[in-house]
Amino acid sequence: MVNGSSVVVADDHPPTRELVARALTDAGFDVRATVRDAPSAVEAVVEHDAALAVLDVRMPGSGIRAAREIVRQRPETAVVMLTVSSDDDDLFAAIGAGALGYLVKGVSSAELVESLNRVLAGETALPASMVRRLIVEFGRRDRDAKLLARRPKIAELSDREREVLELLDEGLSTREIANRMFVAQVTVRSHIAAILRKLEVPDRSRAVELLREDA
């Protein structure tokens, strides 16, 4: 356990802010400041030379923006997001901003303390389900980048259309794609029609062939 590490806690919900600060104090952390918004979080981290910043994603001013600025001004500070949001966009934005942890509110005090200690020890703190989502997302982005570099027509597809095309490549039917994406079959058919139009191909098979070319 990392004892005495200095921490700034930022959350616009006073009960949550106090609960987190109390749990960390009881665990031996040195809570230097508790604040309610992004600008105050950045200011407090710099002022107190905090080793750790625990930030709410959706506090006033944006926790993501605060994370990015803290990492820019004081890269030695470890940033961990504590949030009610399990939205992929928030997760990806937080990691992109330099956060080393992303914890959903509701974790126990023991889990919170353990996760923060792991971060201070040089590790990351992400729930297993989020790790998998990150791997899938960044793998998809890498594939997309290669496709966009090789085939300009693919660049015309939206993210959802590219997802449908990749599922077609897996051999899934319209119904199976709809189930996988949690949308109606008519929506999938609409995406497929747009894919064929943008890629200027006559059918699904040719669209999949284009996807595979130079892969």
Side-chain angles (χ1 to χ4, degrees):
M1 176 175 176
V2 182
N3 292 310
S5 297
S6 55
V7 186
V8 167
V9 177
D11 194 299
D12 64 332
H13 188 235
T16 300
R17 198 164 61 232
E18 293 166 9
L19 183 65
V20 171
R22 188 180 311 116
L24 297 184
T25 299
D26 290 346
F29 287 87
D30 177 13
V31 179
R32 299 283 180 88
T34 59
V35 298
R36 67 171 302 276
D37 57 40
S40 299
V42 176
E43 182 180 349
V45 166
V46 174
E47 178 184 351
H48 296 287
D49 294 326
L52 178 68
V54 180
L55 311 176
D56 177 33
V57 169
R58 297 184 178 177
M59 64 181 168
S62 172
I64 303 297
R65 189 172 296 120
R68 185 176 295 108
E69 188 61 21
I70 288 169
V71 170
R72 187 187 72 81
Q73 291 194 35
R74 201 173 187 283
E76 61 270 34
T77 297
V79 175
V80 174
M81 314 308 294
L82 183 63
T83 176
V84 296
S85 173
S86 58
D87 182 78
D88 282 355
D89 288 341
D90 286 337
L91 169 63
F92 302 147
I95 299 303
L100 298 176
Y102 194 96
L103 306 174
V104 178
K105 290 178 181 178
V107 297
S108 68
S109 295
E111 290 174 311
L112 173 62
V113 169
E114 180 184 357
S115 295
L116 297 185
N117 277 315
R118 288 206 310 273
V119 168
L120 288 171
E123 302 177 24
T124 57
L126 296 170
S129 61
M130 291 187 175
V131 171
R132 182 180 182 281
R133 281 151 57 186
L134 278 173
I135 291 172
V136 170
E137 173 64 13
F138 286 105
R140 183 189 68 78
R141 291 185 183 184
D142 182 63
R143 290 194 304 273
D144 286 351
K146 291 175 181 176
L147 288 171
L148 297 181
R150 291 173 181 143
R151 295 184 295 282
K153 286 183 180 179
I154 296 293
E156 299 178 17
L157 302 183
S158 68
D159 287 343
R160 294 294 269 179
E161 288 163 358
R162 284 199 294 274
E163 184 178 358
V164 169
L165 184 54
E166 289 177 355
L167 293 175
L168 286 173
D169 186 31
E170 292 180 21
L172 273 62
S173 66
T174 300
R175 174 175 296 180
E176 289 169 332
I177 293 173
N179 291 338
R180 179 80 66 89
M181 297 178 66
F182 301 102
V183 297
Q185 291 187 55
V186 65
T187 301
V188 175
R189 284 193 286 269
S190 176
H191 285 316
I192 292 172
I195 290 168
L196 300 184
R197 183 180 69 255
K198 291 179 180 180
L199 298 186
E200 299 179 359
V201 293
D203 53 40
R204 303 180 184 196
S205 297
R206 185 67 189 96
V208 169
E209 287 176 9
L210 184 60
L211 178 68
R212 293 176 180 176
E213 285 178 4
D214 300 323

